[in-house]
Amino acid sequence: MEQIKKLLKENRIKEVYLVGFVDEINGVFEFCPDLRFLYFEFSEGIIECRSVEQYSRLQLRIVDSIRHDFEIDEDMFAATSRAGELILDNPELLTNEIAHLVAYDLKQMDGGMNCLALEMQLKSGQFIFIDPTFLHGISVGSHNQKKLWKENLVDRLAVEASEYSVF
């Protein structure tokens, strides 16, 4: 867990990636993301975010590369898509470093950590909320995403008490 905290704290987000597959439908190729996975690339490494426990928790691990850890049909192709332009206000800013990180109900695990949700305040001023509880996997948003997540929690009081400021 200390390695993850160090990587998140001391490096700029260079890119955000989605993984999925490419499928052909009526002669048109379509990228279909697997929203159980989201990857943050930093100067010093990559963090894999994975929706686990039936989309109720977010697992974070340091990985060597972006992985395609899912099965696809023979006629489909594994694919990766850059999402930094969609998630980061300005992907080129040197201030896309995490200034403050909050994990809800943080738990250590072999090779990483998991939590109910994760919020990041970047030095640029941008607020990013990562919610693993959607039907198809991870959703990324801002303050409104956090508000929706809290409204949909079964036991809001327990989660508010379990907030853990990583740094």
Side-chain angles (χ1 to χ4, degrees):
M1 186 158 89
E2 291 305 314
Q3 289 177 321
I4 291 175
K5 288 179 3 183
K6 183 178 184 336
L7 178 60
L8 291 172
K9 186 173 184 175
E10 297 179 1
N11 291 288
R12 177 178 74 87
I13 299 172
K14 290 176 56 177
E15 186 58 80
V16 183
Y17 295 95
L18 292 170
V19 294
F21 59 90
V22 173
D23 193 12
E24 181 184 359
I25 301 170
N26 298 325
V28 176
F29 291 97
E30 177 183 4
F31 174 70
C32 303
D34 186 335
L35 297 176
R36 294 175 299 163
F37 302 91
L38 184 68
Y39 290 86
F40 285 87
E41 180 183 20
F42 295 86
S43 307
E44 300 291 323
I46 299 171
I47 297 283
E48 177 187 71
C49 301
R50 182 182 206 157
S51 183
V52 295
E53 296 181 26
Q54 297 179 335
Y55 305 113
S56 65
R57 296 189 69 83
L58 184 69
Q59 180 184 82
L60 294 113
R61 292 182 188 264
I62 295 175
V63 294
D64 293 331
S65 62
I66 296 164
R67 304 184 297 181
H68 298 85
D69 192 15
F70 49 87
E71 291 184 30
I72 57 175
D73 293 340
E74 289 179 16
D75 60 339
M76 298 174 182
F77 302 96
T80 302
S81 176
R82 294 175 185 263
E85 296 277 337
L86 297 171
I87 294 173
L88 298 170
D89 289 345
N90 186 342
E92 301 302 319
L93 286 179
L94 295 178
T95 54
N96 282 338
E97 296 173 341
I98 301 170
H100 187 71
L101 183 72
V102 175
Y104 292 86
D105 192 32
L106 180 66
K107 294 182 179 171
Q108 279 189 251
M109 49 175 272
D110 280 345
M113 60 188 204
N114 74 33
C115 57
L116 291 174
L118 192 69
E119 66 182 59
M120 296 183 261
Q121 182 71 45
L122 304 184
K123 288 182 180 178
S124 66
Q126 183 178 354
F127 179 86
I128 300 173
F129 191 79
I130 303 172
D131 175 2
T133 63
F134 276 97
L135 180 59
H136 299 288
I138 299 169
S139 181
V140 180
S142 190
H143 294 286
N144 284 339
Q145 186 66 45
K146 181 179 176 179
K147 181 181 173 199
L148 285 171
W149 175 75
K150 280 191 168 188
E151 288 173 358
N152 290 315
L153 283 174
V154 174
D155 191 357
R156 276 185 276 207
L157 295 175
V159 170
E160 298 228 3
S162 69
E163 181 177 315
Y164 178 77
S165 183
V166 178
F167 54 83

